[in-house]
Amino acid sequence: MSRIQVLNLQSLNQGLPAITPAFGAAISEAGAICLTDEAHEPGVTLEVEGEFSTRLQLNWQPVTEQARRCWNDEEYTTEQAAYGIAFLLILQLTNLTVIERSRKGTGFDYWLGIHDSTVKLPFQRMARLEVSGIRRGNRSQINARVKQKTEQTRASDAEGLPAYIIVVEFNRPISIISAKHNPKGTLL
């Protein structure tokens, strides 16, 4: 029997090539807020569907009253929390990592590059990442968001690079990962 793999939100505190440890800690905290507000406890199972099909265990640090006051804007908190989970999913399920924040108007949130400790500069843009969070949504709402975000990435399709669209819903919790292949039909 195989053990379920664990995603520790607090591992974001170490940072990534395009995520400072401070930002990683912040989005980790946002994730803890969203999951705790939806009555989940550390160890809850995240269902992953779409391009990948798996179940992962989510762990996080306890939420403080100070953190609750800091993250009082539900929409903003949900967006930031979704980034954190999406980054961890990309690291866990692909050979990619977050290498650069995209600029406004591109139709996606982050550039992805190869995650390989032997490569000194992993900053080659290999794929695009678009992320969205939903605090509480039914399957129809989640699927509609995936479709909306997939359409949104069209603004940068001329780049010819594949895109991952990740929608995280916190009430279930579930994450749908859609992959948009490049014109040659390949995906990393």
Side-chain angles (χ1 to χ4, degrees):
M1 184 170 148
S2 63
R3 271 182 37 150
I4 190 167
Q5 294 183 327
V6 177
L7 293 183
N8 286 309
L9 293 182
Q10 60 271 19
S11 69
L12 293 164
N13 300 8
Q14 299 168 18
L16 295 169
I19 305 302
T20 64
F23 184 66
I27 61 179
S28 169
E29 195 172 68
I33 292 287
C34 288
L35 291 161
T36 301
D37 282 358
E38 294 305 313
H40 298 301
E41 294 184 8
V44 68
T45 299
L46 171 69
E47 296 288 337
V48 179
E49 297 179 6
E51 188 70 22
F52 303 94
S53 180
T54 190
R55 295 166 48 122
L56 301 164
Q57 185 182 66
L58 293 174
N59 284 329
W60 61 90
Q61 296 295 314
V63 171
T64 66
E65 189 56 38
Q66 182 183 30
R68 285 189 186 286
R69 289 192 302 272
C70 178
W71 293 99
N72 197 38
D73 180 329
E74 187 173 301
E75 184 178 335
Y76 178 77
T77 303
T78 303
E79 176 186 17
Q80 299 307 303
Y83 285 141
I85 290 177
F87 297 163
L88 292 173
L89 288 171
I90 287 293
L91 287 169
Q92 182 74 32
L93 302 172
T94 73
N95 65 339
L96 300 171
T97 188
V98 178
I99 61 164
E100 186 177 2
R101 177 79 166 137
S102 178
R103 296 180 190 264
K104 290 273 187 213
T106 59
F108 64 101
D109 296 313
Y110 284 89
W111 286 104
L112 300 174
I114 298 295
H115 178 69
D116 182 350
S117 59
T118 64
V119 177
K120 290 189 185 235
L121 293 174
F123 298 104
Q124 185 175 356
R125 295 173 174 174
M126 304 295 293
R128 301 165 288 157
L129 175 65
E130 175 59 21
V131 178
S132 186
I134 300 174
R135 192 63 75 100
R136 287 166 225 88
N138 62 37
R139 178 58 80 161
S140 177
Q141 292 168 316
I142 297 167
N143 290 341
R145 183 73 60 87
V146 170
K147 183 177 179 184
Q148 172 194 3
K149 294 299 180 174
T150 300
E151 289 297 317
Q152 182 179 312
T153 63
R154 279 190 172 179
S156 58
D157 279 352
E159 298 278 342
L161 295 174
Y164 286 98
I165 295 87
I166 300 180
V167 175
V168 180
E169 195 273 354
F170 289 91
N171 184 261
R172 291 183 178 201
I174 187 170
S175 180
I176 307 298
I177 302 176
S178 176
K180 192 173 181 182
H181 301 271
N182 70 16
K184 295 177 185 166
T186 60
L187 184 68
L188 301 171

